[in-house]
Amino acid sequence: DQQVKQNSPSLSVQEGRISILNCDYTNSMFDYFLWYKKYPAEGPTFLISISSIKDKNEDGRFTVFLNKSAKHLSLHIVPSQPGDSAVYFCAAGGNQFYFGTGTSLTVIP
Amino acid sequence: DGGITQSPKYLFRKEGQNVTLSCEQNLNHDAMYWYRQDPGQGLRLIYYSQIVNDFQKGDIAEGYSVSREKKESFPLTVTSAQKNPTAFYLCASSISAGRYEQYFGPGTRLTVT
């Protein structure tokens, strides 16, 4: 059974607007969370992380929010740019990471 | 430039043959990982290694083998026992095992016919 779920396979957003990518996990023991960006036929690129002792972490245009009680995290990209178009994976765990199935983001110029 | 290299990018094999995928890193990372990605699925952990000469099975280790004789290298062998070997294989490393970001190589697409 999937321990990490990304329920939206795809998302389209206008350039300059906010992109919100969501991720849910099932194991309350997970205490570290990662977001990756991936282009076709390439390896994922690390974007941003958050530990369970925080509820928000920001890095430039990227902000990750963690809601431990809901076992939910989200990645906000503001403002969205065409170069952000890619597949985004979330990962959750601690000693071992479990990855979601990814959300394909398309930023429309 | 520090990073992770995987070779080759594309690999074709006949069913019944073993094949070894290369992974090298010059990041001085202790931990290394092998994942498999199939269409519509997330990355699934095959094996990981926390230090040289040590490795642990991940969730889908059956039909695979690894070695970690050097810190820089973590080759993966896909054996003929692996029932569905065609997939995209990703190698990653992190400074240490556990709560650290993993950095990925470019991947190897293996096709077995």
Side-chain angles (χ1 to χ4, degrees):
Chain A
D1 199 22
Q2 282 279 126
Q3 298 204 49
V4 178
K5 294 181 183 177
Q6 293 177 258
N7 291 319
S8 298
S10 63
L11 175 69
S12 290
V13 171
Q14 287 290 133
E15 181 179 3
R17 307 293 287 265
I18 184 171
S19 295
I20 299 176
L21 297 100
N22 294 302
C23 179
D24 297 294
Y25 60 96
T26 57
N27 191 332
S28 58
M29 299 298 290
F30 290 162
D31 61 2
Y32 202 69
F33 307 88
L34 308 162
W35 281 97
Y36 287 87
K37 174 181 179 179
K38 184 181 181 301
Y39 295 113
E42 293 184 11
T45 303
F46 169 72
L47 276 177
I48 192 167
S49 62
I50 188 167
S51 79
S52 59
I53 62 172
K54 292 185 167 184
D55 54 18
K56 176 182 173 181
N57 190 26
E58 196 170 349
D59 184 1
R61 296 185 298 114
F62 301 91
T63 303
V64 56
F65 294 92
L66 175 64
N67 182 334
K68 289 186 289 293
S69 61
K71 298 193 192 72
H72 177 83
L73 65 155
S74 61
L75 175 69
H76 292 210
I77 307 173
V78 184
S80 300
Q81 300 173 353
D84 295 330
S85 296
V87 177
Y88 289 78
F89 289 95
C90 65
N95 292 322
Q96 177 179 328
F97 285 100
Y98 296 87
F99 285 76
T101 51
T103 296
S104 178
L105 173 66
T106 302
V107 179
I108 303 162
Chain B
D1 267 324
I4 302 174
T5 56
Q6 291 184 245
S7 59
K9 194 165 180 64
Y10 299 96
L11 192 52
F12 298 88
R13 280 293 183 270
K14 294 287 186 187
E15 196 173 320
Q17 293 179 336
N18 290 356
V19 58
T20 297
L21 281 59
S22 164
C23 177
E24 303 277 332
Q25 55 101 357
N26 60 4
L27 299 167
N28 200 32
H29 284 175
D30 282 329
M32 296 187 74
Y33 311 82
W34 274 105
Y35 291 91
R36 167 184 173 136
Q37 185 187 17
D38 294 283
Q41 297 202 36
L43 280 63
R44 293 183 292 166
L45 182 65
I46 304 172
Y47 267 99
Y48 66 101
S49 167
Q50 299 184 63
I51 55 170
V52 174
N53 292 322
D54 175 75
F55 47 83
Q56 309 292 332
K57 291 182 179 180
D59 296 324
I60 55 165
E62 186 176 346
Y64 298 99
S65 66
V66 293
S67 63
R68 186 89 187 274
E69 296 175 3
K70 297 186 302 182
K71 188 175 185 176
E72 302 80 21
S73 179
F74 191 40
L76 173 75
T77 297
V78 185
T79 75
S80 56
Q82 168 49 234
K83 291 183 173 47
N84 296 297
T86 295
F88 188 51
Y89 290 88
L90 287 159
C91 178
S93 71
S94 61
I95 192 165
S96 182
R99 295 154 186 78
Y100 296 97
E101 297 76 42
Q102 295 179 15
Y103 293 88
F104 286 83
T108 292
R109 179 160 299 281
L110 172 65
T111 303
V112 176
T113 57

